[in-house]
């Protein structure tokens, strides 16, 4: 990779500048709906803030937090607010995001969950959720020195040299499933350790955490207090020690720090840790293991089995957690090395393994731990003849059958650009049993799930997707606002999940359409992008007012972007950046230009047909400047080379100096 401009000299002294000339004419429906969605979102986050937040940014809460759970639930209501700002949300949204992060952090520190502003010790399934808001703030405002220092300090907790002791460097492992600022916190939570009984109704759908305890064969066997105590003690011993696959989500914390500093210590440990898991996968015949014992051996606490660890293949979520962190780790390793290499083999392994075990049928409650989620995502199609893959593996084989979570193969294809990953997506579409062009009306906790209709749009089979998806998103905002108006916090003051369910900010569709990428993986992924935008007049990230953007096509070497200025009076200037972290190079751009025929004669009742031509321009930089006069649009066909520059958290300063 070439040294990144933010870390060294500018790529070019002056940016390539293109000026739009083609008239908007009748504004595209998608452009009007996109700007309406931005306006709606900038209204509703203020309503949420006023109803649920204290002046210092913390959440209003008068109930009692139980056990160690809860830190992630306080950050999650705001997890995608920084992304809205980065895409073009209100100017004051960034300050609001920081105020809420600081307020919640003080709140959780007082409650005993955090030490030095970081989680005392919890699993990375939930830490990944907690950190999404933090990662978003870092990307939205890298010039904030306080957040920069935090990013490095938090990442240092997960380096071998850290006095926190979370990492065993020689064994290339993290020492426990629960880690944080207090170091490894061996064991499970105190309540479960004392007895994991049948009264834990919310955990029943996930079955037995450990399947090999004599006399405990079914969930109902946990109704016996003796069995409950035995289960709790064994969980504390075997699920609370050693490394687990879900710890791979910590690579995002490391990568986030490296994007600031480019210090080798961050990159080197991230690469070494991911390589260790690759080697363990190879040692298990291509199966990604979910547990490593204290001595560094796979299966050490589970009878030699590669499955059975905390948040692993057996309990509680299987592919939903292991598949996610395998993709996250591969993406982060590729990001810091600038090479795809074999990194994505780690992410491909679990997908190919479960696809080989696929069956067909409808979604059934007894067979799927996430049946309700899929029914809400697929509607009536959930009762059809679907491709169902096993999400979990236990002593009796594969089980817990659900449709494949499309975000995993979508991100692998998006990052690798390899034909085999495109073929996997095509096979899944052909065999899935539901229509990829349907835009189902839902908004779930992960702010994801609409990958199928978006992918079919990119493939040219779903041309109306942008307008339909934006209209759907507006409908979800309206529903959230109705729920907020009807919500009475006094009814259930201990429900710490209320806020994330009522968060009215929806960003999945905006991310897809404007950046050309899926939404970040919810359990700790960094948001990557085909393109990012900067308001060149206001010197901040995001699209300027009145400007709408649509990525119409994207592949490993080309991105087609449509920019529209809906203002009839104001010129807008947009800096278009290749890659979320300015890591890609725009080699050339083809632009459409007006030749003649518009606006025509004033005496005419209609404009003459106008003609356009195209022009190819050499760029050889990570960005270009687009000038959009009032009422104009511009198609940009960008020829790109991926991973040509060292990624960073870019600030607009590097562009501003060149655009003066």
């Amino acid at each position: 990779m070439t040294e990144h401009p933010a870390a060294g000299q500018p790529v070019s002294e002056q940016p390539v500048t293109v000026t739009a000339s083609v008239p908007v004419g009748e504004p595209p429906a998608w452009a009007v709906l996109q700007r309406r969605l931005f306006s709606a979102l900038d209204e509703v986050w203020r309503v949420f803030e006023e109803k649920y937040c204290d002046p210092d940014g913390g959440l209003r809460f008068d109930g009692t937090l139980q056990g160690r759970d809860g830190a992630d639930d306080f950050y999650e209501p705001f997890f995608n607010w920084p992304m809205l700002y980065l895409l073009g949300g209100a100017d004051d949204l960034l300050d609001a995001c920081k105020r809420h992060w600081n307020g919640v952090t003080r709140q959780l520190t007082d409650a005993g969950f955090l030490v030095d502003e970081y989680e005392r010790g919890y699993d990375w399934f939930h830490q990944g959720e907690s950190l999404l808001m933090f990662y978003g703030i870092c990307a939205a405002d890298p010039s904030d020195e306080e957040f920069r220092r935090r990013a490095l300090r938090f990442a240092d907790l997960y380096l071998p040299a850290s006095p926190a002791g979370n990492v065993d460097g020689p064994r290339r492992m993290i020492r426990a499933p629960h880690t944080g600022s207090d170091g490894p916190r061996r064991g499970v939570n105190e309540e479960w350790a004392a007895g994991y009984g049948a009264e834990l109704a919310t955990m029943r759908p996930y079955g037995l955490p450990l399947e090999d305890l004599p006399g405990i064969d079914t969930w109902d066997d946990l109704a016996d207090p003796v069995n409950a105590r035995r289960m709790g003690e064994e969980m504390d011993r075997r699920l609370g020690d050693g490394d687990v696959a879900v710890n791979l989500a910590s690579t995002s914390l490391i990568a986030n720090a490296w994007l600031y500093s480019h210090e080798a210590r961050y990159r080197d440990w991230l690469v070494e840790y991911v390589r260790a898991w690759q080697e363990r996968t190879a040692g298990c015949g291509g199966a990604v293991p979910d547990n490593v014992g204290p001595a560094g051996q796979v299966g050490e606490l589970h009878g030699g089995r590669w499955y059975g660890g905390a948040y692993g293949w057996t309990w509680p979520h299987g592919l939903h957690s292991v598949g996610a962190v395998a993709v996250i780790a591969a993406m982060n390793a590729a990001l810091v090395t600038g090479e795809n290499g074999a990194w994505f083999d780690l992410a491909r392994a679990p997908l190919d393994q479960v696809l080989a075990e696929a069956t067909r049928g409808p979604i059934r409650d007894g067979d799927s731990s996430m049946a309700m989620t899929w029914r809400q995502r697929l509607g009536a199609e959930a009762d059809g003849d679907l491709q169902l893959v096993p999400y979990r593996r236990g002593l009796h084989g594969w089980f817990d059958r659900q449709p494949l979570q499309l975000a995993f193969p979508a991100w692998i294809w998006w990052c690798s650009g390899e034909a085999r990953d495109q073929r996997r997506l095509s096979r899944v579409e052909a065999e899935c049993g539901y229509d990829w062009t349907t835009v189902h009306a839902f908004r779930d906790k992960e702010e994801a799930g609409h990958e199928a209709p978006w992918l079919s749009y990119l493939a040219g089979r779903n041309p109306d997707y942008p307008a339909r998806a934006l209209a759907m998103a507006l409908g979800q905002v309206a529903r959230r606002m109705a729920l907020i108006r009807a919500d009475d916090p006094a009814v259930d003051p201990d429900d710490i999940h209320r806020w994330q369910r009522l968060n009215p900010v929806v960003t999945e569709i905006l991310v897809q359409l404007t950046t050309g990428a899926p939404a970040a993986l919810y359990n700790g992924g960094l948001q990557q992008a085909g393109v990012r935008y900067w308001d060149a007049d206001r010197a901040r990230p995001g699209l300027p007012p009145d400007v709408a953007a649509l990525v119409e096509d994207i592949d490993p070497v080309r991105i087609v972007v449509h920019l529209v200025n809906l203002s009839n009076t104001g010129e807008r200037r947009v800096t278009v950046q290749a890659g979320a972290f300015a890591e890609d190079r725009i080699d050339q751009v083809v632009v459409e230009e007006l030749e003649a025929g518009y606006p025509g004669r004033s005496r005419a009742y209609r404009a003459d047909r106008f003609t356009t031509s195209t022009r190819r321009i050499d760029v050889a930089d990570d960005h270009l400047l687009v000038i959009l006069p009032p009422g104009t649009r511009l198609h940009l066909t960008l020829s790109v080379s991926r991973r040509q520059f060292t990624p960073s958290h870019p600030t607009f300063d590097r562009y501003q100096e060149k655009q003066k």
Side-chain angles (χ1 to χ4, degrees), residues 9-28:
Q9 298 300 314
V11 177
S12 60
E13 292 183 359
Q14 294 294 327
V16 169
T17 301
V18 295
T19 301
S21 57
V22 178
V24 171
E26 295 181 4

Side-chain angles (χ1 to χ4, degrees), residues 48 51-53 59-63 73-74 76-78 443 445 480 483-504:
F48 181 96
K51 182 166 184 174
Y52 296 111
C53 302
L59 288 158
R60 295 196 185 104
F61 184 75
D62 297 323
D73 297 311
F74 278 63
E76 286 178 277
F78 312 102
R443 193 275 195 188
K445 167 184 173 179
R480 291 296 174 100
L483 290 170
I484 287 173
R485 288 192 294 271
D487 179 53
D488 182 0
V491 172
D492 189 3
D494 290 325
D495 184 3
I496 60 174
H497 298 95
R498 168 197 294 108
W499 307 302
Q500 58 190 265
R501 293 198 301 264
L502 295 176
N503 172 19

Side-chain angles (χ1 to χ4, degrees), residues 265-338:
R265 61 199 181 106
Y266 296 120
R267 182 196 61 235
D268 293 349
W269 169 247
L270 190 159
V271 168
E272 195 65 22
Y273 188 55
V274 176
R275 280 178 178 159
W277 279 98
Q278 285 182 310
E279 292 170 12
R280 292 162 189 152
T281 299
C284 294
V288 177
D290 64 19
N291 69 95
V292 179
Q297 300 301 313
V298 171
E300 190 177 326
L301 298 173
H302 297 277
R305 294 183 293 274
W306 53 268
Y307 53 87
Y311 279 91
W313 282 111
T314 304
W315 179 87
H317 300 307
L319 181 70
H320 181 66
S321 52
V322 177
V325 296
V327 177
I328 288 169
M331 290 174 65
N332 289 331
L335 181 68
V336 302
T337 62

Side-chain angles (χ1 to χ4, degrees), residues 34 83 87 410-411 413-415 454-455 457-458 465 507-520 527-533 543 549-556 558-562 577 579-580 584 642:
Q34 189 180 107
M83 178 53 59
L87 294 172
W411 267 121
W413 159 77
W414 192 95
C415 289
W454 174 64
L455 290 168
Y457 165 70
L458 293 178
Y465 175 71
T507 50
E508 179 195 12
I509 305 305
L510 288 176
V511 168
Q512 289 178 349
L513 299 184
T514 66
T515 76
Q527 181 66 62
Q528 299 201 29
V531 287
R532 266 188 65 182
Y533 309 95
L543 291 165
L550 175 63
V551 174
E552 297 180 335
D553 195 9
I554 186 168
D555 63 36
R558 187 176 68 107
I559 305 174
V560 180
V561 183
H562 190 181
Q577 172 188 298
D584 299 337
R642 303 282 296 274

Side-chain angles (χ1 to χ4, degrees), residues 381-410:
E381 290 185 296
D383 296 322
D385 183 33
L386 305 178
Q387 180 192 61
L388 303 175
V389 301
Y391 272 53
R392 295 195 280 164
R393 170 68 182 262
L395 291 179
H396 305 291
W398 292 101
F399 67 106
D400 197 350
R401 295 185 175 272
Q402 308 170 41
L404 183 66
Q405 197 166 336
L406 282 182
F408 302 160

